[in-house]
Amino acid sequence: MPTIVYLVHGMGCGTADGKPAGEAWSAAPVDAVKWIAKTCKLATPMVLDPVPATPPAGSDDPKALWIVPVSYHSVFDDFRRTAIDRRAAVRRLGVAGLLDAQIDQLASTDFFWTKCLDVLLWWADTAQARPNATALILKAITQADQLAHDVPGATVSRILVSHSLGNAATTYALRHLGTAPEWGNVGSFALWTSLANVAPFLIQTPDVYAPPLLPGRSATLVKLMDTVHHEADPIPWLLPWNAWHPEHAGVEWKAAWMAQQAAGRVRIMETQKVKAPMQRTPSITDVHGFANYLMAPEVAIRLGAAMHGGAFTAAELATINMPGACSTLPELTCARTADALAQLKQATADFRTLLPPTDPALLSSGWFQRLLRAAELLLGASGQC
């Protein structure tokens, strides 16, 4: 060992002015993973942020756990830091089809500016933002993996957890990793937990489903894959007909993905409720929150099992009692509107009813307008709590 848990963030982890934030984006997700480890009676994880030059003490323990936050938001912060005029800065990107009204909305509030801009930059700026983000992700993964191999007698196990935009960024990075000389035949990820996956909207090619991402093959980078959405989170449904699902894998890979789903190597889950790690207070926008996704019982127990090195026995599951443990976490309450979460759930259900256009050329367009609309839904819900 050790077992490495890589956490790859999504949108909105930077700041409006591009300067360092007061609390790291990873604080709440790390708290969530630590809580899962404690609940599952595993070793206390060591947080490697940044990845040190030498392995931490105790890494030679067969039960050792490392958490490695993978940050790439600096490439978006660089843009924000130099954007004295927000609208002019976005226009200089030269994104085809981007309307003035969309630019105005993007620049109108820090909420949109620190969240939706990240997605637009990763998608549109293929000359700098996307390759720079990919380089940062690959550097973090390979550095930690190489460090783990410095532990005498180590056999390394890897778990990948990506959130929101991080799924597109991770998908893109894994495509590079599969052929990278520095990775070679090192190994694969025991589990990829994909939370609020938006990769199909942003990459818009069959690469989202192509090897080496497909589980159940000899050269795959992924042994098991869990894909999770929250019932009240509109973000995974920007283009509902193109949401991540084995049925959408295309002619070439659909049958293979469906077979892996039937075999239990690919699992799709929907979560409910809004929780926060102990000593934190959840907000309604945490329906899209990294930590909230992690602490859903069905997600937490699968991640715990992966960190454990295999499925828990029935006796272990009874002792762990993950549903009971989750019930003790701080849960969302809305003082202004008691049924605000139910209203957001209904709004998300309505958001999912968009039908595909009859013109095939339009099937992959419109995601950015839908992202702005999804952000509006979340922002509006926050005003109800």
Side-chain angles (χ1 to χ4, degrees):
M1 292 302 178
T3 294
I4 309 173
V5 182
Y6 294 100
L7 302 178
V8 188
H9 68 73
M11 65 180 184
C13 290
T15 58
D17 58 7
K19 297 177 181 178
E23 181 180 59
W25 67 266
S26 57
V30 165
D31 284 349
V33 175
K34 286 182 175 180
W35 176 84
I36 293 170
K38 182 178 181 180
T39 302
C40 292
K41 300 172 173 51
L42 305 175
T44 301
M46 312 172 199
V47 182
L48 278 60
D49 188 18
V51 177
T54 58
S59 296
D60 55 347
D61 186 330
K63 297 180 180 180
L65 294 173
W66 291 358
I67 300 176
V68 179
V70 179
S71 295
Y72 60 96
H73 63 81
S74 60
V75 301
F76 313 131
D77 286 344
D78 289 344
F79 180 91
R80 278 187 283 263
R81 190 164 48 251
T82 59
I84 299 173
D85 182 329
R86 293 181 178 182
R87 291 171 178 81
V90 174
R91 289 190 179 95
R92 283 196 294 271
L93 289 172
V95 181
L98 195 63
L99 304 177
D100 285 345
Q102 294 171 332
I103 295 174
D104 290 344
Q105 187 174 2
L106 183 63
S108 63
T109 68
D110 288 352
F111 185 86
F112 290 96
W113 187 245
T114 57
K115 298 183 187 301
C116 300
L117 179 65
D118 290 4
V119 187
L120 180 65
L121 284 173
W122 189 90
W123 177 75
D125 188 1
T126 56
Q128 293 188 54
R130 190 184 301 190
N132 289 345
T134 302
L136 289 172
I137 293 170
L138 293 178
K139 179 180 179 181
I141 290 175
T142 54
Q143 274 190 336
D145 191 83
Q146 291 165 2
L147 183 67
H149 281 91
D150 289 341
V151 178
T155 56
V156 184
S157 179
R158 309 167 193 85
I159 298 166
L160 186 59
V161 188
S162 53
H163 175 243
S164 186
L165 172 61
N167 290 290
T170 296
T171 296
Y172 195 78
L174 288 181
R175 299 288 300 160
H176 286 266
L177 192 63
T179 57
E182 63 269 28
W183 193 259
N185 296 317
V186 171
S188 57
F189 296 89
L191 172 66
W192 180 10
T193 301
S194 167
L195 310 172
N197 196 329
V198 299
F201 318 130
L202 302 184
I203 298 178
Q204 298 178 355
T205 72
D207 284 356
V208 172
Y209 298 101
L213 306 180
L214 175 60
R217 300 169 68 90
S218 59
T220 187
L221 285 175
V222 182
K223 292 182 179 179
L224 298 174
M225 183 176 184
D226 286 354
T227 301
V228 191
H229 62 267
H230 189 286
E231 64 176 358
D233 181 7
I235 300 298
W237 310 106
L238 302 185
L239 301 177
W241 60 84
N242 197 28
W244 195 98
H245 196 283
E247 291 184 349
H248 299 160
V251 174
E252 187 172 6
W253 301 114
K254 177 180 176 179
W257 276 95
M258 296 293 288
Q260 294 307 310
Q261 184 179 17
R265 296 189 187 93
V266 176
R267 298 167 291 199
I268 299 175
M269 295 176 278
E270 179 179 86
T271 65
Q272 297 82 36
K273 299 186 178 180
V274 180
K275 303 278 190 175
M278 292 297 185
Q279 313 306 319
R280 292 178 179 270
T281 302
S283 68
I284 196 168
T285 56
D286 286 334
V287 296
H288 186 64
F290 201 158
N292 179 55
Y293 267 101
L294 288 170
M295 293 178 300
E298 52 273 74
V299 176
I301 197 64
R302 292 187 189 276
L303 186 56
M307 292 191 290
H308 173 63
F312 293 111
T313 66
E316 288 171 328
L317 287 174
T319 301
I320 293 168
N321 185 18
M322 185 60 75
C326 288
S327 70
T328 67
L329 292 166
E331 187 168 342
L332 174 71
T333 58
C334 289
R336 294 183 182 178
T337 307
D339 63 346
L341 184 58
Q343 290 182 16
L344 181 57
K345 176 184 175 182
Q346 183 58 56
T348 296
D350 294 341
F351 189 74
R352 293 174 59 172
T353 60
L354 180 69
L355 297 175
T358 55
D359 183 352
L362 300 177
L363 283 172
S364 63
S365 66
W367 67 265
F368 187 67
Q369 181 60 45
R370 294 274 291 176
L371 175 63
L372 293 173
R373 177 56 185 150
E376 285 179 339
L377 290 178
L378 295 177
L379 187 60
S382 69
Q384 300 302 310
C385 287

